Amino acid sequence: MSKSGIVNVRMVITEEKILSNIDKVQKLINPKSKKQIVQLDDDAYFKDLIESIKTYLVEYPKKKNFPISVYKASYELVEFATNQFEENTKKIEELIRQREANIALAVKLKETLETIEEKEDGWKLTLKEASNNYTEDIVQALTVVGKAKNKETQNYQDAVKLINARIVNLESNLHIEIDMERIEDRSKALSYIGIEIADALKLIPAPVEEIKETVAKAEEDVMQEAYVQETTFEVKPTLWQRIKESKIGRAIRYAFRIRIVLDVPTLPEGKKE
């Protein structure tokens, strides 16, 4: 099919079809949905949906007469994606803190095991303090190590093996890395929506009904002209500014930050990122 043929097919996409596609995208990025986007790079279906919505927004012939239902649905989709991106950012930051804490616990557990094994000064106090940091099975294993008079016994060997396995788990943080990669993929998809949809949507004038509704809710001493300006994408910072500057602009940098954290074996001391 020729390129012009493809364009003609796009131009006849109905309002109902675009609303349906927007709804499908909304479900794919909804964390409560059973079917969610997994990997943006491999999800051609998701990209096709976004492309159809973007094409409709960009190629609609008379922007002043743009369908109100599509405008509202597109706006709500971008806003939802932006809010989800914010939530993902918080989750990633929490996972990074958890990973840092686990690594610190691994180092501490190594030191604790060594102190108890060698019966260094204060090892009994160290064993007592272990109950504040580790699970009951680890505390019991440390107790076996501390009370053992013969390191060749099976109980002693099993206890040390269990402790070392826990150290490896705390250091590797495999489950955290998996969660971070999953969230990173979702964030890429959310950013993709912001970049493609919001960028096209900001060129469409806000529907008159939207402006009237906003003015009706305004205080009496506020001029209608100010509210008209605030409801357009060109002026209103509450959504587009959040996406362009606060979210989408940081998406790529944040993805790199995640990858760096995953690749570094240990994190800096203190509260450095």
Side-chain angles (χ1 to χ4, degrees):
M1 181 181 294
S2 65
K3 184 176 181 180
S4 60
I6 296 176
V7 173
N8 290 334
V9 171
R10 288 175 175 174
M11 292 300 292
V12 298
I13 296 178
T14 63
E15 178 179 338
E16 290 75 15
K17 178 62 176 178
I18 290 301
L19 290 173
S20 175
N21 287 355
I22 292 174
D23 182 64
K24 291 175 182 177
V25 173
Q26 185 99 8
K27 290 178 180 178
L28 287 173
I29 64 174
N30 192 328
K32 296 181 180 180
S33 299
K34 293 182 179 179
K35 184 178 180 181
Q36 298 180 30
I37 183 171
V38 178
Q39 292 186 338
L40 175 63
D41 295 338
D42 299 332
D43 201 325
Y45 174 70
F46 177 81
K47 289 184 177 180
D48 287 343
L49 289 175
I50 298 299
E51 180 63 23
S52 70
I53 299 169
K54 177 184 177 182
T55 300
Y56 189 90
L57 296 174
V58 172
E59 298 185 1
Y60 196 86
K62 296 181 180 180
K63 297 293 192 295
K64 292 184 179 180
N65 297 327
F66 192 85
I68 297 176
S69 59
V70 177
Y71 180 93
K72 288 183 177 181
S74 301
Y75 188 97
E76 290 172 359
L77 175 63
V78 174
E79 188 170 42
F80 182 77
T82 303
N83 293 334
Q84 287 300 309
F85 191 97
E86 278 186 334
E87 291 300 317
N88 283 0
T89 301
K90 294 177 182 177
K91 291 177 182 178
I92 287 291
E93 291 173 347
E94 178 59 32
L95 288 172
I96 290 174
R97 287 192 291 268
Q98 185 179 340
R99 184 179 188 273
E100 183 178 3
N102 286 351
I103 291 174
L105 280 175
V107 173
K108 182 69 175 179
L109 185 53
K110 283 182 180 179
E111 296 173 350
T112 298
L113 177 59
E114 182 178 349
T115 298
I116 295 175
E117 274 187 314
E118 302 301 325
K119 300 296 190 296
E120 298 177 5
D121 293 341
W123 73 269
K124 290 184 178 180
L125 178 60
T126 299
L127 176 59
K128 184 177 180 180
E129 293 175 344
S131 61
N132 297 325
N133 299 319
Y134 305 104
T135 57
E136 184 178 351
D137 59 336
I138 295 299
V139 175
Q140 290 178 350
L142 290 170
T143 302
V144 171
V145 172
K147 293 182 177 180
K149 299 186 181 299
N150 184 356
K151 294 184 179 182
E152 302 300 324
T153 64
Q154 188 63 45
N155 285 343
Y156 181 91
Q157 297 294 331
D158 290 343
V160 172
K161 183 178 180 180
L162 175 62
I163 296 170
N164 285 329
R166 185 61 52 83
I167 291 173
V168 171
N169 288 338
L170 289 170
E171 288 178 333
S172 65
N173 289 288
L174 181 60
H175 66 289
I176 292 181
E177 292 190 8
I178 293 174
D179 287 345
M180 290 176 70
E181 290 180 357
R182 176 178 55 81
I183 295 174
E184 179 186 358
D185 285 331
R186 275 181 45 79
S187 292
K188 287 180 181 179
L190 296 170
S191 300
Y192 189 73
I193 292 173
I195 294 171
E196 299 295 323
I197 304 300
D199 198 41
L201 187 61
K202 70 173 185 175
L203 301 177
I204 300 175
V208 176
E209 285 75 5
E210 287 279 306
I211 298 173
K212 289 181 178 178
E213 181 180 349
T214 304
V215 174
K217 296 179 181 179
E219 296 179 358
E220 294 181 359
D221 59 343
V222 179
M223 297 177 60
Q224 177 174 345
E225 181 180 357
Y227 272 85
V228 172
Q229 292 178 341
E230 290 180 1
T231 53
T232 62
F233 264 96
E234 289 296 319
V235 179
K236 186 177 181 181
T238 54
L239 178 59
W240 173 246
Q241 200 72 12
R242 285 168 60 202
I243 299 170
K244 191 69 174 179
E245 296 181 0
S246 301
K247 302 300 175 292
I248 304 308
R250 297 185 325 190
I252 297 177
R253 294 199 301 273
Y254 203 89
F256 274 110
R257 171 185 163 189
I258 295 170
R259 183 55 49 209
I260 291 173
V261 171
L262 290 177
D263 291 340
V264 175
T266 58
L267 296 178
E269 296 180 356
K271 295 184 178 180
K272 297 178 182 178
E273 293 182 343

